[in-house]
Amino acid sequence: MPKRSRYRRFVLAVHAVWFSVLRRILHLWVRARVLPDDLGELDFDPDGPTFYVLDSNALTSLLITDQLCRAQGWHRPTRGFRAGDIHLPQSHGADRRYRGLFIRTPEGGRHDATIRQLVEQAHDQPGLGIQVIPVTVLMGRAPDNEAGFLKILFSENWELGGRIRRLFATLVNGRATLVQFGQPIRIDDLVAETQDAGVALARISRILRVHFKRVKTSAIGPDRSHRRTLVEKVIKSEAVQLAIDAKAKRENIDHERAENTARAYAREIAADYSYPMVRILDLILSWFWNRIYRGVNVKHFRSFREASPGYEIVYVPCHRSHIDYLLLSYLLYYRGFVPPHIAAGVNLNLPLIGPLLRRGGAFFLRRSFRAQPLYSTVFNQYVSLILSRGVALEYFIEGTRSRTGRLLPPRVGMLSITVRAFLRYRNRPVMFQPVYISYERLAEGNSYISELSGQQKKTESLADLRNVINILRKNYGEVTVSFAEPVLLNERLEAHAPGWDSQDYAMDSKPEWLPGLVDDLAERILVNINRAAHVNPVNLLAIALLASRKHALDENDLETLIALLKAIVQRTGYADRITVTDLEPGQIVEYGLEMGLIERHVHRLGNIIRTDARNAVLLTYFRNNVSHLLAMTAWIACCFLNLQRIRRSRLQQLTATVYPFLQRELFLPWSQDNLAEVTGNCIDTLIELGLLRQYGDRLQRAPGGSDQTYYLRLLANSMVQTFERYFITVSVLAKNGSGQVNRQQLEQLCILSAQRISLLHEFEAPEFYDKTLFKLFIESLRKNGILDQDADGRLIFDQRLEQFARDARLVLDKEVRHAIIQVTPEVLELESKAA
């Protein structure tokens, strides 16, 4: 016995010396930031029996903790522990223990064996004063210092790593270590409260688990790894199992085969979030933005930051480029928010690209899955599960990128899934965060023009990566990301379904009020996106130059018109979050020249600023980005194209007739109740700027040939093509007669007419004959009761359509009206030519 005792003392002495040597070596390299900053905040008795519980049994974590305790003069975790009758060789344990030399696997058991001994001793011998201090050690958390690839690769994450990874993490990120000491847990107090050692042990284990998870979550974001486990949870859910049974019965296959199909769907959908990959993408994107952009500006982020705590966030930006989701995720990460999971089309799930996007947080969905009930159930369950775990989402309710620069009609599938997931789980209230993104040049500009001209959309492929080289060679100006006023789901639920929270909802529940709620949410999101628009220099140049007949203006006139456009936006008070470039008109012109969007023709009588045909088509996109801001004043200006004077009351009446169509196309924010006030404000702004004059109830423009009339006409031209499209539709209906064409035939006739007019009388602008815009106007005519359908699906109308056509005389030039009437074909004529 004495020999064994001497041997044990020898082993312990060698062990202590070895630990001391390792600790000193580690201390030379590791630099730790300790939290809390003031350790005096800990309710801690340095002289009492102290036991440390580390987040994991990593040797480096123990040595770092031991060095810090030594520096503070505290009892050290590598020293023996004594309290009452219990004697332990060391004063530390671990919440998570792993076995294996290189391949690490978690050890079983719910409770740490040493903690069990301490609790049982405190129960048998009260008053020992044992205090347990949780300690979290994270390596590589400081993102501002992680400038290298290796630092990012070996930064802290939720994944299980082995000893070799931990060694490299220490070598690479040892100088960016975070150590957080938690408040002591007093075992005597827990035992006294529970009066049972087993219950006290369960409670302390739970307290430690929750503490370590919260600390790590606050440092690196929630755990979104373990894709395989998440997939299995989706598959084993009740809703998916029922859908699997239904598929097996419907297709006469066994349950296992149907379940394998569901599992394949889940794997196709699920993200595979990786913190190292996010950090690598941060490095790549930082370089990429600096290469192609002059700057990335963020507006109203502070308001979002203040409003977001306590909510599940769903980001709903406008969709104008593939860069949208990369840019938003980057900005959120850069400002301390964990990047969201992004709903991406399955067309982007390409070799190499798909796995990369998955690790950045993308999950994939098919364009349509109404005819695939099993896929639909799996997808719904996956979204519900990640939302219930507190994962922020991002998706585009327009469904696809806008090819015209306007917001597209919403596709509400993802909104409906989100609402139903919330009704089922209700962990935290949901906040939809609309985001407006303003570009000055688009990488996809040329492809958009081709698609609008009738060419088929090119399918994404790896060959598209070659375009990155061309992108890197160009200057894309500045990008502005503006955070709009959020839409709170609970508020809309109360408005549509009072008492909704007193009911339980299953996964397949579809209350009768759900469609109305979802449509309301979609409308408010798109309206709020427009209410956070930023007017950049390219927007102003596009509006001004495209308003002229040959896309050319005297330089002085151009600068004057730009100043007027800026003043109109600022004075009409569209919304509080609207922002306008700070550049002066002359600086804006120089900026456009530098960007290569316009050119200056030097002339002895005055310089001419113009744009060529190719750039003119591209500029229509940027004009449309902000057309909603000028829609009301441009409409008023249109009323003076063919009239010198009009009564204010008559103008208000005409506005009330036209507004529903403008509102639906441009997602304008005002209701009919406050339309008169808005119109009056716009009229007053034009009067203040000298473009109109008022004599009692009569409004009058300046005489023809004056500068004021010239600028008023240019303002009107920014919207006149919209009214030409309206008149084309009305003319096609009138020419064919009520009950003669169905909706599909009407759309086709309108597009053909617009294409021909564009070739004969306007410059070649593909967005002029965009099918979506005609569909929107036709749907607006139906919703406003001007159009209806008979039993055969043919469109019928009454005298109100003729009145609408007569009112067009106030807005459209006689030559344009005559050309439209002459060009519009009859359906029988079209069919005979096709035959």
Side-chain angles (χ1 to χ4, degrees), residues 299-325:
K299 307 287 186 182
H300 314 300
F301 187 81
R302 181 178 177 182
S303 298
F304 162 67
R305 186 189 291 275
E306 292 173 353
S308 61
Y311 287 96
E312 301 288 1
I313 309 299
V314 178
Y315 300 95
V316 276
C318 60
H319 200 11
R320 292 180 176 158
S321 169
H322 280 310
I323 287 175
D324 297 341
Y325 38 83

Side-chain angles (χ1 to χ4, degrees), residues 28-148:
L28 294 174
W29 177 247
V30 171
R31 295 293 180 270
R33 181 191 173 192
V34 182
L35 295 177
D37 295 320
D38 181 9
L39 291 173
E41 296 177 8
L42 299 176
D43 184 15
F44 166 59
D45 179 11
D47 299 324
T50 305
F51 191 87
Y52 301 90
V53 177
L54 305 177
D55 58 333
S56 67
N57 63 331
L59 177 60
T60 51
S61 297
L62 173 61
L63 295 175
I64 291 169
T65 305
D66 190 71
Q67 175 62 33
L68 292 173
C69 291
R70 179 175 180 271
Q72 293 294 324
W74 296 349
H75 179 73
R76 292 160 57 184
T78 54
R79 298 293 172 87
F81 178 86
R82 292 176 177 269
D85 296 333
I86 190 169
H87 301 275
L88 300 174
Q90 294 182 330
S91 302
H92 69 87
D95 182 59
R96 293 176 294 138
R97 290 185 175 275
Y98 303 101
R99 64 166 65 93
L101 183 60
F102 298 111
I103 300 176
R104 309 281 277 168
T105 56
E107 287 187 358
R110 294 180 55 194
H111 312 296
D112 183 88
T114 313
I115 294 291
R116 182 188 299 274
Q117 294 182 50
L118 296 179
V119 172
E120 290 174 351
Q121 184 66 33
H123 180 267
D124 296 337
Q125 193 177 350
L128 293 177
I130 300 173
Q131 49 195 355
V132 175
I133 299 181
V135 185
T136 307
V137 180
L138 302 174
M139 289 188 173
R141 166 60 188 102
D144 293 338
N145 300 325
E146 293 168 11

Side-chain angles (χ1 to χ4, degrees), residues 378-394:
V378 170
F379 185 84
N380 289 354
Q381 185 64 30
Y382 174 77
V383 174
S384 299
L385 192 56
I386 61 173
L387 190 66
S388 69
R389 292 186 168 194
V391 176
L393 297 180
E394 177 188 337

Side-chain angles (χ1 to χ4, degrees), residues 744-813:
Q744 184 177 1
Q745 290 170 329
L746 176 60
E747 290 173 5
Q748 185 182 11
L749 291 169
C750 289
I751 293 168
L752 292 172
S753 300
Q755 286 175 338
R756 187 166 180 80
I757 291 168
S758 179
L759 290 170
L760 292 174
H761 299 277
E762 305 282 348
F763 80 100
E764 178 63 18
E767 63 101 17
F768 181 61
Y769 43 84
D770 179 38
K771 182 178 181 179
T772 301
L773 296 177
F774 281 109
K775 290 178 70 173
L776 267 176
F777 180 61
I778 294 167
E779 179 62 20
S780 296
L781 289 172
R782 189 192 65 79
K783 284 202 167 185
N784 285 276
I786 297 176
L787 276 185
D788 203 350
Q789 284 183 326
D790 61 18
D792 297 326
R794 299 186 180 277
L795 299 173
I796 55 176
F797 52 89
D798 55 23
Q799 294 81 2
R800 286 176 295 176
L801 191 75
E802 297 175 5
Q803 180 62 45
F804 194 91
R806 285 195 294 270
D807 290 339
R809 297 175 184 175
L810 299 175
V811 177
L812 300 181
D813 184 85

Side-chain angles (χ1 to χ4, degrees), residues 345-363:
V346 75
N347 56 306
L348 295 177
N349 189 19
L350 302 169
L352 300 179
I353 300 298
L356 182 67
L357 294 177
R358 282 189 197 278
R359 285 169 173 77
F363 63 97

